[in-house]
């Protein structure tokens, strides 16, 4: 009888132990699940080591990267996600070419007015007539008087007086 009670107690302890023990998910199984998640981004990579997912590669947008991280964290058995992935940088947009808001005849008149000052350039910058260059204080006054006499309207005087 004593032997039967001991065996029953031992069987009961083993059954409780078996129920309470969690089955550890293998890294291979976790790798398969993780690979399925990042498959939508062909330039992304995933590697699972010791139940930790290591996310790498490149994602098209930050939202895609964040969604992948969230999904990886939801896999049962993944302890943590190490984010080593980057987001693609979009190339800068091409420069916008705009038609000059300055009448070419006015630009030519201003160039004629400053022809005696070779260091002065007359350009159209962002649709506005702009004077640039290095001049003396006397030259700057003469240039201003000459251009103002043409009544060209608003212009940017970016001359550097030395």
């Amino acid at each position: 009888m004593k032997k039967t009670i001991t065996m029953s107690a031992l069987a009961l302890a083993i059954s409780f132990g078996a129920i309470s023990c969690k089955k550890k998910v293998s890294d291979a199984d976790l790798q398969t699940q993780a690979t399925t998640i990042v498959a939508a981004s062909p330039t992304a990579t995933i590697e699972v080591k010791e139940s930790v997912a290591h996310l790498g590669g490149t994602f098209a947008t930050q939202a895609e990267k964040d969604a992948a991280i969230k999904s990886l964290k939801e896999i049962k058995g993944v302890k943590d996600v190490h984010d080593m992935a980057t987001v693609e940088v979009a190339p800068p947009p091409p420069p916008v070419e705009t038609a000059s808001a300055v009448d070419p005849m006015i630009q030519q008149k201003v160039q004629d007015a400053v022809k005696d000052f070779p260091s002065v350039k007359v350009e159209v910058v962002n649709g506005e007539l702009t004077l640039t260059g290095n001049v003396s204080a006397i030259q700057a006054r003469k240039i201003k008087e000459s251009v103002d006499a043409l009544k060209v309207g608003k212009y940017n005087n970016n001359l550097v007086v030395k």
Side-chain angles (χ1 to χ4, degrees):
M1 179 84 160
K2 215 177 198 184
K3 204 173 188 182
T4 309
I5 293 175
T6 306
M7 290 300 269
S8 296
L10 183 60
L12 187 62
I14 290 173
S15 65
F16 278 127
I19 293 171
S20 66
C21 290
K22 293 182 182 177
K23 180 182 173 192
K24 184 178 179 191
V25 182
S26 72
D27 282 348
D29 290 338
L30 294 175
Q31 178 73 40
T32 302
Q33 293 177 42
T35 302
T36 304
I37 289 172
V38 298
S41 298
T43 56
T45 60
I46 188 73
E47 185 177 357
V48 178
K49 290 183 184 175
E50 299 176 10
S51 299
V52 176
H54 298 268
L55 182 64
T58 308
F59 285 86
T61 65
Q62 184 65 42
E64 287 180 18
K65 178 180 166 185
D66 293 342
I69 292 170
K70 182 178 183 239
S71 296
L72 290 169
K73 287 181 177 180
E74 291 173 352
I75 296 174
K76 290 189 183 203
V78 171
K79 294 178 185 174
D80 195 13
V81 177
H82 288 230
D83 176 17
M84 298 173 286
T86 59
V87 177
E88 289 180 7
V89 178
V96 177
E97 293 184 28
T98 57
S100 175
V102 178
D103 184 358
M105 291 186 62
I106 291 175
Q107 187 176 351
Q108 186 60 47
K109 286 181 182 179
V110 174
Q111 285 176 338
D112 290 342
V114 297
K115 67 180 176 200
D116 294 334
F117 308 100
S119 65
V120 176
K121 286 185 174 181
V122 178
E123 303 172 308
V124 176
V125 178
N126 294 330
E128 294 181 348
L129 191 62
T130 304
L131 302 177
T132 57
N134 297 321
V135 295
S136 67
I138 296 170
Q139 290 174 328
R141 187 171 17 108
K142 287 181 182 179
I143 292 169
K144 182 168 178 16
E145 290 172 357
S146 298
V147 174
D148 287 345
L150 295 173
K151 297 183 181 181
V152 295
K154 182 180 175 189
Y155 67 95
N156 293 324
N157 189 343
N158 293 343
L159 296 173
V160 177
V161 179
K162 291 191 174 189

